[in-house]
Amino acid sequence: MTSIGILGTGRVGTNLAGKLSSAGHHVTLGGRSPKDPTDRAAGATSRIAFADQRTTARTADIVINATPGDSSLDRLTDLRTELSGKILVDVSNATRDADDGLPGELCHPGSSLAEKLQAALPGTHVVKTLNTMLFMVMTAPETLGTPPTVYVSGDDEKAKKSVTGLLGDLGWQPAWIEDLGDISTARATEAMVLVVPHVLRRHGFEPFAVSLAR
């Protein structure tokens, strides 16, 4: 069992919390304050705890960033001390919203949120993954008609191995996991979000992943 802290109590965070808790991990959901709404996760399992984000980052072995990507860098930089020595799994995409509320332009063109986080948090092992799909696919990849791909980027091999283990707990088979290399490769997967609004406008909010076909 691993102690996992999830920063963010929206659909992504609560969805991950329920599945990881069911897999036997001790999960804490961290909101901006302990009173942040967490009703969607509260019924998932009694093993989910709730705390503010600073406490969540300090007490977890592995921390997952599920905060809005356009504000993640500022939020997590403020938690530099609490995140030191930890694995930080970044599942967010940093975009500016389009007029219809869907993802728009990248906040860090020519770079990536993951790279910015790694530079701002040198004592933390940042691993980018799970950012190329709708949130429901993160915890149920087997429900898609075509085997999906989840990409992994990070500088520390041991950290990536730990994250790969968590992906297995979420239902990802080894053949579906693609290690792209160091953290700079995250700029490629983060750029994949640019296709998402066009897919959603044409097909609605149907589960999908941006996958690699061989």
Side-chain angles (χ1 to χ4, degrees):
M1 182 179 73
T2 302
S3 174
I4 300 173
I6 300 177
L7 306 180
T9 58
R11 292 179 298 187
V12 174
T14 55
N15 186 46
L16 290 169
K19 187 64 175 282
L20 290 169
S21 178
S22 296
H25 298 288
H26 176 74
V27 177
T28 300
L29 264 174
R32 301 196 74 168
S33 76
K35 296 182 179 179
D36 271 7
T38 51
D39 291 343
R40 280 172 291 190
T45 170
S46 61
R47 287 191 295 267
I48 297 176
F50 306 103
D52 62 88
Q53 292 185 354
R54 194 172 299 279
T55 301
T56 299
R58 185 178 66 249
T59 57
D61 299 318
I62 295 176
V63 179
I64 298 175
N65 174 39
T67 65
D70 59 350
S71 62
S72 288
L73 184 58
D74 289 338
R75 292 194 201 198
L76 273 64
T77 299
D78 189 49
L79 300 175
R80 182 185 290 108
T81 299
E82 289 79 7
L83 291 169
S84 180
K86 308 288 179 72
I87 295 173
L88 176 64
V89 185
D90 179 31
V91 304
S92 295
N93 287 307
T95 62
R96 299 177 176 86
D97 287 345
D99 292 338
D100 55 5
L102 293 176
E105 296 180 354
L106 298 174
C107 292
H108 307 294
S111 184
S112 65
L113 172 59
E115 289 173 274
K116 297 289 186 181
L117 287 171
Q118 187 61 85
L121 304 168
T124 303
H125 302 302
V126 179
V127 179
K128 188 79 180 192
T129 193
L130 289 172
N131 63 306
T132 55
M133 63 203 70
L134 294 191
F135 76 93
M136 64 286 285
V137 179
M138 295 178 177
T139 58
E142 74 283 354
T143 61
L144 295 184
T146 303
T149 304
V150 61
Y151 305 96
V152 178
S153 301
D155 292 337
D156 189 86
E157 294 301 322
K158 186 177 179 179
K160 287 195 289 185
K161 185 176 179 179
S162 295
V163 173
T164 297
L166 289 184
L167 292 174
D169 291 338
L170 293 173
W172 291 89
Q173 298 183 19
W176 302 347
I177 301 173
E178 188 75 20
D179 185 345
L180 295 178
D182 66 31
I183 200 66
S184 70
T185 63
R187 68 182 64 180
T189 59
E190 289 190 27
M192 291 180 184
V193 74
L194 296 176
V195 77
V196 170
H198 306 297
V199 174
L200 294 181
R201 291 185 187 111
R202 288 184 62 85
H203 300 286
F205 207 68
E206 294 292 328
F208 75 92
V210 183
S211 298
L212 179 64
R214 286 191 175 95

